[in-house]
Amino acid sequence: MNDLAGKHIVLGLTGGIACYKSAELCRALVKEGATVQVVMTAASEQFITPVTMQALSNRPVYCSQWDPREPNNMPHINLSRQSDAILIAPCSADFMARLVHGAADELLSLMCLARPIATVPLLIAPAMNREMWAHPATQRNMAQLAADGATLLGVGSGEQACGETGDGRMLEPEQILEDVVAFFQPKVLAGRKVVVTAGPTFEALDPIRGITNHSSGKMGFAIARAAHEAGAEVSVVAGPVSLPTPRGVRRIDVRSAREMLAATEAEVAQADVFVATAAVADWRPATESGQKIKKEGGSPPPTVSFTENPDILATVARSARAQAGALFCVGFAAESHDLAANAKAKRERKGVPLLVGNIGPSTFGQDDNQLLLVDAQGAVELPRASKLVLARQLVAEIARRRAQA
Ligand code: CTP
């Protein structure tokens, strides 16, 4: 993916052991298509060298406001004017305090102060010992920085270099990358709540065995990520899938269709958008044995009879809030043939304003897909692309339709 193509990012390093992760972060930003200009404080040079950062960013690193390489000798002006964002990672407790006070006695803080505040956002990935993190002074500084318009990316939790355990570790490079990519996405669902069902369900026969399907959950998780990137508060109700939860998304793990229905109904009570991507089992075994069904010597194989599962999408679409237009419901249809006709019929049967068709078996587990959006006006095709790219397009389509509703 090239989610940061065309973006120029100033990556600022301040003093902290997490500087070792900044090398990986720099690489990840470049790999995602960004150009990266590294600026380092003197304290950060105690932890990693400008040579490493120059090699990874493919640009000379700036460490001093007196750098004679700039014709006007004003790197604080030139570097900030050229950038789409300044990302401080790691940002030490000391550097936060300095930002709060508008300190300007070395290049990085000077550049942050001199940046055009309306057009060059400041993103901060703090890193420090847990006591320093929890200290009222740090928390006060964080609140002030947020009030001054900076975006605080949060911290990780766990073992720290000092041997203590708690909050304050710098986020991992891939988490920071995900946050930076999200930051640049248009906020078309800001303030909205979105609920997504994803993955298969598992319908138990006995404590060991059950019936499930090949859905990987990738499309649903991509939609959850895209909705979060668009500024929504997102919950994903997930059947058994082995996917990492997208940053900032609340995940509720369930197993059966009935569990998925109960979790979904609780989540959609306050939601604005519901997207049903889960491949819910249409039927479950009529009885679930409490004990493992044994292959007794010579006895005939057991017969399984089925009973119908609740239809989660249809149930939610019939709810009072959906009927009143407060909850916009989107269904998916995985078809093996006649996609357009089947998707149109399914949209009417489920009673939803928008139904997204795809060819089922060939997309399961894949990283890309191709979608057909069917609404009352007709059908629009979203050509083959990665599931995340399609998810972002779908989120934009949902936001547009909600705005018109
Ligand atoms: N769906 C659901 N609950 C079910 C079955 C389906 O919420 N018990 C949702 C899916 O998440 C999807 C849509 O309904 O958004 C269509 O699912 P699909 O399995 O294609 O539709 P079915 O109604 O099962 O139709 P059929 O199997 O006949 O194609």
Side-chain angles (χ1 to χ4, degrees), residues 276-278 280-282 310-313 331-335 346 349-350:
T277 69
V280 183
D282 289 319
D311 189 318
I312 300 168
L313 176 60
F332 262 69
E335 306 293 342
K346 196 164 282 183
R349 199 165 67 241
K350 303 266 179 180

Side-chain angles (χ1 to χ4, degrees), residues 130-169:
R130 67 190 174 106
E131 297 291 358
M132 294 166 73
W133 172 252
H135 196 285
T138 303
Q139 295 299 317
R140 211 165 44 233
N141 288 341
M142 291 247 299
Q144 187 58 55
L145 285 171
D148 289 348
T151 298
L152 278 303
L153 303 184
V155 291
S157 187
E159 246 177 66
Q160 302 200 307
C162 51
E164 298 180 2
T165 303
D167 291 343
R169 285 165 56 118

Side-chain angles (χ1 to χ4, degrees), residues 9-85:
I9 295 173
V10 171
L11 174 61
L13 274 62
T14 71
I17 184 59
C19 279
Y20 83 91
K21 294 186 191 172
S22 305
E24 197 67 52
L25 173 62
C26 180
R27 235 179 132 243
L29 292 167
V30 170
K31 243 177 127 180
E32 204 60 49
T35 49
V36 178
Q37 174 61 61
V38 177
V39 176
M40 295 174 65
T41 64
S44 74
E45 286 186 70
Q46 297 290 323
F47 295 92
I48 190 167
T49 70
V51 175
T52 301
M53 299 310 294
Q54 175 172 352
L56 292 171
S57 63
N58 206 19
R59 281 168 176 258
V61 170
Y62 283 79
C63 301
S64 161
Q65 72 265 43
W66 312 121
D67 197 313
R69 283 174 295 181
E70 291 296 302
N72 59 358
N73 212 299
M74 294 184 196
H76 62 299
I77 302 290
N78 305 344
L79 298 181
S80 62
R81 299 304 182 273
Q82 292 154 3
S83 71
D84 292 296

Side-chain angles (χ1 to χ4, degrees), residues 224-262:
R225 174 174 171 177
H228 169 70
E229 289 177 345
E233 178 195 337
V234 184
S235 300
V236 61
V237 182
V241 293
S242 51
L243 291 175
T245 313
R247 292 265 305 145
V249 169
R250 199 165 95 85
R251 173 177 185 159
I252 300 131
D253 284 313
V254 296
R255 228 161 71 121
S256 67
R258 284 177 298 171
E259 282 172 24
M260 188 174 272
L261 175 65

Side-chain angles (χ1 to χ4, degrees), residues 323-346:
Q323 291 291 320
L327 175 62
F328 187 85
C329 293
V330 183
F332 262 69
E335 306 293 342
S336 60
H337 59 283
D338 292 338
L339 182 59
N342 279 319
K344 185 170 176 290
K346 196 164 282 183

Side-chain angles (χ1 to χ4, degrees), residues 189-195 231-235 250 252 266-274 327 402:
L189 288 178
R192 302 290 175 202
K193 176 165 178 176
V194 175
V195 178
E233 178 195 337
V234 184
S235 300
R250 199 165 95 85
I252 300 131
E267 287 299 311
V268 294
Q270 309 288 329
D272 302 287
V273 177
F274 172 52
L327 175 62
R402 267 204 94 264

